[in-house]
Amino acid sequence: MKRLACLLLAAMLLLSGCGSSSAATSGEDREPLSVSMEAAPVMGRSYVPQVPLPEAVTPMDQGGETNIWKAAETTDGQAALYNLDSGTGAVLLEWDGTLVMFDGWHFRTPQSVPPRMELLPQGVLMVDLYTGSGTGVSVEELHLIVKDEHGAMTDYVLPPSLYQDRLAALMTAETGKRSGSVSIGNLTLHLPEQEAKLTGGPCLGNIVRYETGSDGTVYLSLGIGMELKDRADPVYVGEVLCQVGFDNAGVYTLSGFALRE
């Protein structure tokens, strides 16, 4: 009987120990606080097909008197972008045999980085324009194009205010003598030590990059800038990574945030 009681007591202690261990593990493995931001519907600009193509822009060729050249195309050849006039930003977008003329696409910078095009799995055409370069500046602009059954194309641009204002408002910074940290929710990035004192920030928008995953997911990378004492320009200290969501009604969503040095 005594032996049976000892066995029961040992079993109870073992079960109690397992329960405590499990609770501690689940607490440590909790997912970081999820932050998701949705923009107001973007007012897209719609353009109807050019039928017939204006004589002034034919044939589409490299250089020559017409000064027209192919600036970019998708890897599968389904879509191509032709530069028409760098002054007005006029371009021709060819997508599955349909030609549409856009304006206001300024992507000629001192670095001359060509646009990047990709047809996403949801049938949306992505065009990534490199629009800004300079000391501490590298800015890309995301255009997502939707085509209807008549060939008309609508251009939706991700609004910079979504990250410059709204995301920046969600971020907090702590600064010490020469270092500090940046946080979104309970995600925290500890900043490397600087030569001078950090005085403020964070600021977003000087370094903006877009990438796509193998499944067609669009990712946004934003450089985090912090102000330094006696320095006019913010210093780069890390980056925010997130996923870009989009629906055909023109609504952009940023989610799945991470911080990285």
Side-chain angles (χ1 to χ4, degrees), residues 33-219:
L33 177 64
S34 175
V35 181
S36 179
M37 292 188 305
E38 186 175 281
V42 176
M43 295 299 294
R45 296 183 64 186
S46 296
Y47 299 82
V48 297
Q50 297 288 324
V51 182
L53 187 65
E55 183 178 348
V57 297
T58 55
M60 290 183 291
D61 202 353
Q62 174 73 32
E65 294 182 2
T66 57
N67 200 30
I68 299 171
W69 69 92
K70 184 185 289 186
E73 65 179 336
T74 57
T75 54
D76 57 13
Q78 291 189 53
L81 182 67
Y82 297 88
N83 190 83
L84 300 181
D85 187 336
S86 58
T88 64
V91 297
L92 269 179
L93 182 61
E94 181 182 15
W95 185 359
D96 283 338
T98 302
L99 283 162
V100 169
M101 187 180 294
F102 288 75
D103 58 30
W105 283 27
H106 297 282
F107 53 85
R108 302 203 57 193
T109 66
Q111 291 191 21
S112 298
V113 177
R116 188 167 58 89
M117 302 178 69
E118 186 170 339
L119 187 59
L120 304 180
Q122 60 267 40
V124 175
L125 181 64
M126 181 194 81
V127 182
D128 181 7
L129 302 181
Y130 190 89
T131 61
S133 62
T135 303
V137 176
S138 177
V139 180
E140 297 177 10
E141 184 177 87
L142 180 68
H143 293 252
L144 294 182
I145 315 296
V146 176
K147 183 171 69 169
D148 67 16
E149 64 273 17
H150 305 294
M153 300 182 200
T154 303
D155 173 23
Y156 296 96
V157 187
L158 188 144
S161 59
L162 189 56
Y163 53 82
Q164 287 177 338
D165 301 330
R166 292 187 57 197
L167 177 55
L170 290 178
M171 299 182 69
T172 58
E174 293 185 5
T175 57
K177 188 173 182 181
R178 291 188 178 179
S179 64
S181 63
V182 173
S183 300
I184 304 177
N186 68 351
L187 301 174
T188 299
L189 172 66
H190 295 283
L191 306 179
E193 188 170 312
Q194 305 294 325
E195 294 181 0
K197 182 180 179 181
L198 293 168
T199 59
C203 58
L204 300 169
N206 282 0
I207 301 177
V208 182
R209 292 188 295 267
Y210 295 96
E211 297 293 338
T212 50
S214 57
D215 60 352
T217 302
V218 180
Y219 295 93

